[in-house]
Amino acid sequence: MKDLYLVYKNLTRKKMRLFLTTFAIFIAFLIFGAIMTLRGALNSGVEMSADNRLVVVHKTNFTNPLPYSYVNKTQAIEGVKQVTHANWFGGYYQEPANQVVTFAVEPESYLAVYPELVIEPEQRKAWLNNQASILVGERIALANGWKVGDRIPLSSNIFSHKEGGQTWDFVIEGIFRGAEQKTDTSYLLFHYKYFKETQSWGGDSIGWLILTTEDAAMNESVAKAIDNNFANSNAETDTSTEQAFNKAFIEQIGNIGLIIFGVVFMAFFTILIVVGNTMVLAIRERTAEIAVLKTLGFASIRIFKMVLIESCLLAFLGGLLGLGGAYLLIQGASENLARFLPNLVLDQNILLQALGYMLLLGLITGIAPAISALKLNIITAFNRG
């Protein structure tokens, strides 16, 4: 306890220096927590992908439509368990700036392919029975203050209504949540049949197919069979795992992993220099005091441990405050960015990584001053003083 008290007194003897150093570490871990959470959100589509789920798109460009007949033809291929399809609606709410991710789907098969979407049984039944209704993700519902029973107008920047205009009126029959916290619930679903009957153009075309295989080991053979089946047709296909498809889609906006690594590395490198320099100066100022402690019988290894503990406490103090700040920042951003990003979650893996980096930061910045204190010669120290 005496050693911890001495560490505490040394750590707090210059409060302004303690504040500035802690603040620097706070900023580093604030950045780390926020950036890693953003990375997790952007990669959630990859991480949450089912092993046996495949996506079939037009070979030329995934924005080109596929014939509706491909649904039954794909279902007939050996190894395919369940097939569904989706169309991009290009939706927005009230004004074009309020973009809302909206898909026209075949309800029952879509929910079968995506079992991670959790809906109350009565809401599920109501949505399936009402073609003019919409199923809303929990995240987007909270962002807009929507609830079951509300009527909302949704407009499309691609399609037009056969009765004129580009707006469809829907009643919200259900709100779905994710089986896991990271499951994306920031989009809306409505009936493909209703979409086909009310749009002024587009016919029976579909945007893409999503299917599950009997076993993930069959993914490659099923993908090849699908693409071979539609080879040399007017709409050739490109089939990949959902994980590969989502990863390729994310990489269109750049190498997110490399960008995030660069930001985090520069923040930590800067903090490493600042904290390391602070610790070296702090120990140099206490040269005579360390010599006195050794004269009083403090073993060199004991002083070595005290310096390392001081450095680690400093790292954990700033780091934990930084993670707390990141959590508050993420909570605020999660509500305001619900229309644009999946769920922002400061999860356990990020917390464990952060704790590891705090310990590493404390050890790296404290090791040189600790060794200097360990090797300090009493006579030399008093002469220097």
Side-chain angles (χ1 to χ4, degrees):
M1 292 299 293
K2 181 190 288 186
D3 289 356
L4 290 177
Y5 178 73
L6 290 174
V7 168
Y8 167 75
K9 295 300 289 185
N10 286 327
L11 196 60
T12 58
R13 66 167 57 194
K14 292 192 175 182
K15 292 181 173 55
M16 180 55 71
R17 181 166 65 190
L18 173 63
F19 170 76
L20 293 175
T21 307
T22 303
F23 182 72
I25 300 172
F26 165 84
I27 293 298
F29 281 94
L30 175 69
I31 294 172
F32 176 83
I35 292 294
M36 293 302 289
T37 299
L38 176 61
R39 179 190 181 191
L42 293 174
N43 289 333
S44 61
V46 177
E47 296 173 5
M48 304 303 293
S49 300
D51 292 338
N52 68 331
R53 206 147 55 205
L54 304 182
V55 178
V56 184
V57 298
H58 197 289
K59 187 175 183 179
T60 304
N61 192 300
F62 74 88
T63 60
N64 289 346
L66 296 172
Y68 182 82
S69 60
Y70 279 21
V71 177
N72 291 330
K73 290 179 180 179
T74 301
Q75 183 69 72
I77 293 175
E78 184 179 357
V80 173
K81 182 179 180 181
Q82 182 75 50
V83 179
T84 192
H85 57 88
N87 285 63
W88 178 264
F89 183 65
Y92 63 88
Y93 177 60
Q94 294 181 332
E95 56 184 65
N98 294 330
Q99 298 290 318
V100 181
V101 177
T102 309
F103 302 122
V105 302
E106 198 292 307
E108 293 196 39
S109 62
Y110 191 88
L111 294 179
V113 170
Y114 288 96
E116 64 267 32
L117 304 183
V118 181
I119 314 162
E120 295 298 327
E122 62 275 11
Q123 294 182 13
R124 179 191 180 109
K125 183 179 180 181
W127 181 55
L128 293 177
N129 291 334
N130 184 0
Q131 286 192 15
S133 66
I134 198 162
L135 186 66
V136 179
E138 183 179 50
R139 182 169 163 78
I140 201 71
L142 289 173
N144 289 286
W146 294 337
K147 60 185 184 299
V148 174
D150 286 352
R151 299 197 69 89
I152 61 170
L154 277 184
S155 302
S156 173
N157 53 26
I158 302 173
F159 301 98
S160 55
H161 199 289
K162 69 178 184 180
E163 294 181 0
Q166 293 180 290
T167 301
W168 277 254
D169 289 317
F170 295 102
V171 59
I172 299 176
E173 290 286 14
I175 295 176
F176 67 87
R177 64 182 189 277
E180 296 184 34
Q181 195 174 11
K182 279 192 173 183
T183 302
D184 185 16
T185 59
S186 57
Y187 59 95
L188 309 119
L189 303 169
F190 71 102
H191 291 241
Y192 170 77
K193 186 176 180 180
Y194 179 69
F195 171 62
K196 184 177 68 172
E197 291 173 352
T198 55
Q199 65 179 344
S200 61
W201 62 274
D204 289 339
S205 62
I206 57 175
W208 61 93
L209 296 167
I210 312 102
L211 62 99
T212 53
T213 59
E214 296 290 348
D215 190 283
M218 303 176 69
N219 286 353
E220 186 175 352
S221 61
V222 170
K224 287 182 179 178
I226 293 171
D227 292 341
N228 289 337
N229 190 51
F230 301 122
N232 302 317
S233 67
N234 291 329
E236 295 187 58
T237 60
D238 180 28
T239 306
S240 60
T241 62
E242 183 184 41
Q243 185 177 57
F245 177 80
N246 289 339
K247 186 176 181 180
F249 186 81
I250 289 295
E251 288 177 350
Q252 290 184 38
I253 59 176
N255 191 329
I256 300 299
L258 181 61
I259 294 171
I260 289 175
F261 173 79
V263 172
V264 173
F265 175 79
M266 289 306 299
F268 274 91
F269 183 74
T270 303
I271 297 306
L272 189 67
I273 294 173
V274 172
V275 179
N277 185 58
T278 300
M279 287 301 299
V280 169
L281 290 175
I283 298 304
R284 185 174 296 173
E285 290 174 359
R286 302 203 299 263
T287 299
E289 295 176 21
I290 293 172
V292 171
L293 289 176
K294 288 190 173 185
T295 303
L296 293 174
F298 278 68
S300 295
I301 192 65
R302 184 179 177 185
I303 296 173
F304 174 85
K305 291 178 182 178
M306 288 170 60
V307 173
L308 273 185
I309 290 172
E310 180 181 343
S311 177
C312 289
L313 281 176
L314 186 61
F316 276 94
L317 176 62
L320 291 174
L321 288 173
L323 285 181
Y327 175 78
L328 295 176
L329 178 65
I330 289 162
Q331 290 299 107
S334 181
E335 296 179 7
N336 294 323
L337 299 177
R339 295 185 182 92
F340 311 105
L341 289 174
N343 295 348
L344 295 172
V345 181
L346 186 62
D347 61 24
Q348 185 178 1
N349 289 334
I350 297 174
L351 293 175
L352 291 176
Q353 286 181 47
L355 291 173
Y357 285 133
M358 289 176 207
L359 179 60
L360 188 62
L361 178 64
L363 293 176
I364 291 175
T365 56
I367 193 67
I371 291 174
S372 176
L374 178 71
K375 294 182 176 180
L376 184 67
N377 182 278
I378 297 175
I379 297 175
T380 304
F382 281 126
N383 287 336
R384 188 184 301 172

